[in-house]
Amino acid sequence: MGQTMNIGILTGGGDCPGLNAVIRAVVRKSLKLGWRVTGFLNGWKGVIDGNTMPLTEREVSGILPRGGTILGTSRTNPFKNPGDVDKIVQNLKKMQIDALIAIGGEDTLGVALKLHKMGVPIIGVPKTIDNDICGTDTTFGFDTATSIVTEAIDRLHTTAESHHRIMVLEVMGRHTGWIATVSGIAGGADEILIPEVPFDLDTICNHLECRAKSGKNFSIVVVAEGAKPKSMADFATISSEKDEFGHVRLGGIGQLISKEIEKRLGVETRVTVLGHVQRGGSPTAYDRVLATRFGAAAVDLVMSKGWGKMVAFRSYKIVPVELSEAVEKLKTVDMELFNLTQIFFGDPCERVAEKPISRSKK
Ligand code: F6P
């Protein structure tokens, strides 16, 4: 048997179904190797404050199907407050942590990369319901979120049809429209609006009108919270307050376009904002398996001292990739996939645009 290790693990950023499955796999595999696992509470905050819990067989028993994270999470950015990074380095040393596994999205992994460059032995595990991390085909949590949204679209369909209304559904997706695109396709939405493609309300209303003229007396519009009309310079936000990574709280675009559609078309329009329902609850079977594979592979990376790397899912295989590749830019929606949606918009007999929609420059 090789060297006995003491592994630290944390979950940072927005929670996501499947986090507990990763923690469980890391602990179970580590215990088999005779290693110890220490859980840091509430993301980077737990490492700064030295707030931990031991992770043994007992703590991870029964957590596989549970949503959220038993470790708690936060959007703490140690590079924001002077002295916090030093505390991290000191605490890891004091607690004799040989390796740190950071499970998180762009922000958490960005911190992990900076710490790696300072010599901290660190491994990343990608998580986000938004599916916007580069280097990996997908992240756990995304399948669960899109299943929840698809079910919501199905439910909206029956009530929209009964009342002959237009239903606008606002979903998560701060910078990218993966959730809106995939669940919109799965649920048969009549319009899908995403941050990557600024939209034109005249065109949307035109499509909805054509649909009505062709005999369909209801419509479903799915809009990502980060989508905006071409005419709008800023995102619709709930407040101007920013988190420690500089993100404002998005929300309100659904309400805005719903009012405008009703005004322009004179058709009763309702808005539903799914919000955190998309992030809560039990992970799907797909996400449980992906998260379990990620957890086990993270332990393998610790064993091979693959510091500064992240476990990734590529062509059905789990592979290591550089953290730098994962955080240098966001993975935006595949335009081939998005363009598929065009054949379902507007009048069924209308000609599909000859030129596919291309992504606007950010
Ligand atoms: O990062 C994932 C995400 O769910 C985004 O889609 C959303 O904008 C954000 O988190 C919401 O964050 P919070 O839970 O802090 O309001």
Side-chain angles (χ1 to χ4, degrees):
M1 196 175 281
Q3 187 196 348
T4 295
M5 303 281 271
N6 183 15
I7 307 188
I9 182 168
L10 67 88
T11 52
D15 73 336
C16 167
L19 285 169
N20 285 326
V22 181
I23 298 168
R24 171 177 171 267
V26 167
V27 172
R28 294 287 283 268
K29 185 151 187 179
S30 298
L31 294 181
K32 278 215 183 309
L33 293 163
W35 298 358
R36 258 190 314 137
V37 187
T38 302
F40 285 96
L41 303 184
N42 307 320
W44 294 113
K45 189 167 185 339
V47 198
I48 295 165
D49 298 342
N51 203 0
T52 64
M53 70 186 267
L55 286 171
T56 68
E57 176 65 45
R58 194 158 56 100
E59 284 77 24
V60 299
S61 169
I63 68 170
L64 173 65
R66 262 169 66 186
T69 158
I70 58 163
L71 293 175
T73 186
S74 72
R75 294 198 186 275
T76 303
N77 179 0
F79 286 91
K80 184 91 202 226
N81 303 308
D84 281 355
V85 172
D86 291 343
K87 284 186 193 156
I88 287 182
V89 174
Q90 282 158 19
N91 281 338
L92 292 177
K93 212 168 169 189
K94 201 163 72 195
M95 292 178 199
Q96 297 179 315
I97 301 289
D98 299 305
L100 185 62
I101 296 178
I103 315 170
E106 40 153 345
D107 298 328
T108 305
L109 298 177
V111 170
L113 177 61
K114 285 187 189 160
L115 290 172
H116 161 66
K117 287 183 177 158
M118 293 169 57
V120 175
I122 212 159
I123 303 289
V125 175
K127 80 74 241 191
T128 169
I129 64 161
D130 290 354
N131 194 37
D132 57 3
I133 299 178
C134 268
T136 182
D137 293 349
T138 191
T139 43
F140 62 87
F142 176 61
D143 184 64
T144 307
T146 49
S147 302
I148 295 167
V149 177
T150 303
E151 194 197 329
I153 298 173
D154 289 347
R155 289 177 185 275
L156 287 174
H157 257 109
T158 62
T159 171
E161 202 167 2
S162 307
H163 287 266
H164 321 304
R165 284 173 173 156
I166 294 172
M167 294 293 194
V168 175
L169 177 65
E170 182 182 300
V171 300
M172 281 188 173
R174 197 186 262 152
H175 308 291
T176 65
W178 285 102
I179 295 178
T181 304
V182 171
S183 45
I185 293 172
D190 305 301
E191 282 294 334
I192 300 170
L193 311 177
I194 62 172
E196 289 88 337
V197 184
F199 58 89
D200 174 23
L201 258 177
D202 290 338
T203 312
I204 308 299
C205 288
N206 210 4
H207 281 167
L208 296 172
E209 220 167 15
C210 285
R211 204 179 122 79
K213 278 190 192 140
S214 75
K216 303 276 189 180
N217 56 9
F218 71 96
S219 288
I220 308 283
V221 178
V222 178
V223 58
E225 60 184 352
K228 57 180 183 186
K230 280 180 186 157
S231 55
M232 229 165 93
D234 290 320
F235 296 110
T237 56
I238 284 172
S239 84
S240 55
E241 222 173 279
K242 291 187 176 164
D243 70 18
E244 293 198 359
F245 289 92
H247 308 299
V248 284
R249 252 181 87 196
L250 297 184
I253 186 68
Q255 185 68 36
L256 202 141
I257 60 169
S258 143
K259 273 195 187 151
E260 198 57 31
I261 290 172
E262 186 166 87
K263 197 170 90 191
R264 292 187 190 195
L265 299 182
V267 179
E268 254 196 309
T269 306
R270 295 283 194 271
V271 63
T272 302
V273 180
L274 268 191
H276 292 80
V277 168
Q278 294 160 92
R279 254 181 28 201
S282 195
T284 57
Y286 182 91
D287 280 339
R288 291 181 202 188
V289 175
L290 182 60
T292 299
R293 293 179 75 187
F294 274 173
V299 174
D300 290 340
L301 265 184
V302 170
M303 216 177 328
S304 63
K305 297 196 173 13
W307 315 134
K309 294 197 193 312
M310 173 188 94
V311 294
F313 180 65
R314 286 190 185 171
S315 306
Y316 300 100
K317 294 262 178 265
I318 308 293
V319 294
V321 300
E322 295 299 326
L323 267 174
S324 52
E325 186 187 336
V327 303
E328 73 187 1
K329 58 178 181 353
L330 284 173
K331 185 180 72 189
T332 51
V333 170
D334 177 355
M335 281 302 125
E336 204 182 305
L337 181 67
F338 187 73
N339 283 326
L340 171 69
T341 63
Q342 276 195 83
I343 57 173
F344 302 105
F345 297 166
D347 180 343
C349 303
E350 192 188 39
R351 282 184 63 198
V352 174
E354 272 150 24
K355 244 177 84 198
I357 296 169
S358 64
R359 216 182 97 210
S360 65
K361 286 196 189 78
K362 275 199 171 176

